[in-house]
């Protein structure tokens, strides 16, 4: 699967953005999907994940209650709705795909993911 993230930009603190990840290729519905981010000078970190069925989601503590991940398998899309943004959310955001069996957990480590998008920059101004 190939991934392309979009939707980043500059937003004021307290604002919202929705990131999109478009997938191409076969068997998209067999992938758990994740969003990660990387701020300057920091390691890439897990933000949110969604199971291949869409029934399960997982979030980093820092974004719980503010971010929502969703997927549309008919469109081969994954979304990250980000609300109440603050300066700490400034980073390059990446979507990633993990080929998974139905019961597989949603992983939060980068090494579990098989494919990555190119990243989209999110800048939150205070």
């Amino acid at each position: 699967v190939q991934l392309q993230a979009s939707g980043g930009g500059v937003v004021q603190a307290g604002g919202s953005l929705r990131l999109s990840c478009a997938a191409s290729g076969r068997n998209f519905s067999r992938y758990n999907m994740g969003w990660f981010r990387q701020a300057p000078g920091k390691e890439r970190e897990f933000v949110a994940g969604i199971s291949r069925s869409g029934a399960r989601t997982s979030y980093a503590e820092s974004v719980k209650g503010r971010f929502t991940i969703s997927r549309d398998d008919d469109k081969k899309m994954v979304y990250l709705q980000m609300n109440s943004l603050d300066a700490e959310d400034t980073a390059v955001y990446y979507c990633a795909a993990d080929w998974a069996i139905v019961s597989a957990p949603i992983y939060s480590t980068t090494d579990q993911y098989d494919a990555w998008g190119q990243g989209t920059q999110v800048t939150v101004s205070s």
Side-chain angles (χ1 to χ4, degrees):
V1 68
Q2 294 79 44
L3 305 172
Q4 183 167 358
S6 62
V10 179
V11 63
Q12 287 190 334
S16 297
L17 277 176
R18 189 177 83 152
L19 304 184
S20 299
C21 176
S24 59
R26 301 176 66 180
N27 300 317
F28 173 72
S29 62
R30 297 188 180 183
Y31 288 88
N32 286 354
M33 299 298 296
W35 284 98
F36 288 75
R37 68 186 180 187
Q38 188 166 18
K42 295 187 177 181
E43 293 189 354
R44 193 169 296 188
E45 64 175 2
F46 175 77
V47 175
I50 188 166
S51 64
R52 49 182 274 178
S53 70
R56 293 179 287 120
T57 57
S58 177
Y59 296 93
E61 284 297 323
S62 60
V63 307
K64 276 184 180 178
R66 299 189 298 125
F67 290 11
T68 303
I69 188 171
S70 61
R71 66 188 295 160
D72 184 335
D73 285 1
D74 290 338
K75 296 180 179 178
K76 295 184 180 180
M77 296 290 293
V78 179
Y79 305 100
L80 185 68
Q81 177 67 42
M82 307 186 296
N83 299 327
S84 302
L85 286 162
D86 61 39
E88 295 295 312
D89 297 314
T90 294
V92 177
Y93 284 71
Y94 299 88
C95 58
D98 169 31
W99 178 269
I101 60 174
V102 172
S103 58
I106 299 169
Y107 292 109
S108 60
T109 55
T110 57
D111 60 345
Q112 297 290 341
Y113 288 79
D114 309 300
W116 292 84
Q118 85 287 5
T120 185
Q121 175 72 47
V122 172
T123 301
V124 183
S125 62
S126 56

